[in-house]
Structures are given as C-alpha cells and as structure tokens.
Amino acid sequence: MENRHVVIIPIEIDEEKEASYLAAWQDAAEVMAAQPGFIRTYMFRTIVPGSKFPLVNVAEWESTRHWEEAMNVCPMMGQRIAVVHASNYEAIRTVLPTQSPSSGDGRMPAELSPVEARRRAENGQLTLVDVREDDEWAARHPAGAVHAALSTLPASLSDLPDGPLAFVCRTGNRSARGGMQAIRAGRSSVYSVAGGLEAWEAAELPVVLPGSEGAENNGDRVADAMHEG
C-alpha cells in the first residue's frame, strides 16, 4: 500500500492580492476535492510579521499517484514545494472531500434565486445560511444571513433553526454541497441560492460590510436566528 502524499506549498503574495488569490484558490480546491484520492487541504496564514510566505497550502492525498493524476486536472503552476514551520501559521480555510451525489439519499437541494431567497428570509419563511469561510463572511455577507462554514457544517447543523434553510456561498457550489449535507441529516425544505453572493450582489440585494450598522458578530453565527425563531 502506498503511503499518503502530503504537499506543502508556501505562497509568496502581496497583501493587497491575498483576497483575490484566496477566492481563486477556493475554486481550484473544490475541483481538487472532487478528484479520486483527495483527503483534505488546508490554507494557513502566518502569524509571524514580515514572513516571506504569508500563506501556506497543505494538501493530503491517498498516494503520490492520485496527486499526480489530479495535477493533470488542476495544475499548480509556478508554485514551489518546500517545508515550513507549522507553528508559525494558523489555519484559515479547510476543504474536505466532495461528497458524491450518489452517496446518502442522493438528493440535491432545490435552487432559489437570490431575490426569492431574500423575500422568503425577510418574511420569516426560511433561514438564510452563509456557508463560506470565516474570512469571507467577515469581508461581506448577505444581510439577514447566519453563518455556518461548510468545513464545520456537519457539527453545526443541529444548531440551525428549525424550518426551511437556504444555503448561500460565493457562486453556488458550496451551498449545494451544504444543502446535500442538510438533506442527508434529515432536514426538509432545503435550498441553494443560485449564483451565490455574486448573483446576490448583481441583483443589488443588501450585504453587510465590516463596521456597517447591523453587522452580525461572527461568534454568534446562528444565535440571532434562533432567538428570532
């Protein structure tokens, strides 16, 4: 049996380009998560000021062969592989394996347009759940949403309010996966917001920005919605 293959990629990037890089990395990581042999991947941010490598990506694969085959699907161009000190970094993102639609009961969540999701949330007909990671949520999120990151969603599903749920992410991929997890956990009336936050903003629906009035506390996550329910 082959040993697990661990890839460590230090990333040298300017601070002003970090947000766009992380968005692109998230999309690429979700492609990798669907490949055979993928175990998990993490993104770490340095806690050491002035570090040459502000970000480090660590990916685990079942074998070197699986990793090499995945590189044909999503090559990491121009990135170096090296060893870094893990104690100098804190994890900021995690991507777990993609669940196959054939697993569990195989049902996909129905899609709602951003406008319809907003209307139902305002009327108390559903809870809007943002499944993006903490840093994405902090940067901006749909008004009225609660936060439950996809990477921790299995554990936090029971904390979400009863009743219909509409999951939202950046483009609609992670929200569909979150919806599938909710369905497998026995939740009914589960939706995914089509097009995610990008479509939400394109429809000129309200978002909460850092420091803006009414911004939710990240630590509260679902508490406000539970009180409202």
Side-chain angles (χ1 to χ4, degrees):
M1 179 181 295
E2 294 183 79
N3 292 328
R4 286 187 176 182
H5 186 82
V6 178
V7 185
I8 302 175
I9 308 170
I11 300 160
E12 188 174 3
I13 190 169
D14 295 333
E15 183 177 354
E16 62 270 17
K17 297 179 180 178
E18 181 179 300
S20 59
Y21 177 87
L22 286 174
W25 176 87
Q26 188 74 46
D27 290 339
E30 289 175 11
V31 173
M32 300 298 276
Q35 305 310 309
F38 177 85
I39 298 175
R40 65 180 65 85
T41 186
Y42 302 90
M43 181 65 77
F44 294 86
R45 178 185 286 123
T46 185
I47 58 174
V48 178
S51 174
K52 181 178 180 180
F53 302 111
L55 300 174
V56 170
N57 179 207
V58 178
E60 296 181 50
W61 294 83
E62 291 181 5
S63 69
T64 301
R65 175 180 58 82
H66 283 112
W67 176 72
E68 290 175 344
E69 291 174 353
M71 289 304 97
N72 294 325
V73 177
C74 186
M76 293 179 289
M77 301 299 294
Q79 295 187 339
R80 290 175 289 173
I81 298 174
V83 176
V84 296
H85 296 289
S87 60
N88 291 342
Y89 293 83
E90 59 178 352
I92 59 172
R93 296 197 180 190
T94 302
V95 174
L96 299 174
T98 300
Q99 297 291 332
S100 168
S102 62
S103 62
D105 59 17
R107 289 184 294 156
M108 293 288 290
E111 285 195 337
L112 285 180
S113 71
V115 171
E116 180 62 15
R118 169 67 176 174
R119 184 190 70 80
R120 295 191 191 186
E122 282 190 305
N123 292 338
Q125 296 175 295
L126 57 74
T127 299
L128 187 64
V129 184
D130 189 331
V131 296
R132 296 173 305 138
E133 297 301 319
D134 290 351
D135 58 323
E136 297 175 282
W137 164 269
R140 71 188 194 284
H141 55 267
V146 298
H147 185 215
L150 183 64
S151 57
T152 61
L153 190 58
S156 60
L157 269 174
S158 61
D159 295 328
L160 292 173
D162 294 333
L165 301 173
F167 293 95
V168 62
C169 62
R170 188 171 72 90
T171 61
N173 292 328
R174 283 175 283 174
S175 59
R177 291 164 57 191
M180 290 177 65
Q181 290 187 30
I183 291 170
R184 284 195 294 270
R187 299 297 294 260
S188 58
S189 299
V190 177
Y191 304 93
S192 173
V193 177
L197 184 58
E198 290 185 355
W200 181 281
E201 291 185 298
E204 299 184 348
L205 296 172
V207 296
V208 176
L209 301 173
S212 62
E213 184 177 353
E216 293 90 342
N217 185 320
N218 282 353
D220 291 341
R221 300 204 174 195
V222 301
D224 290 341
M226 293 180 70
H227 289 313
E228 291 172 3

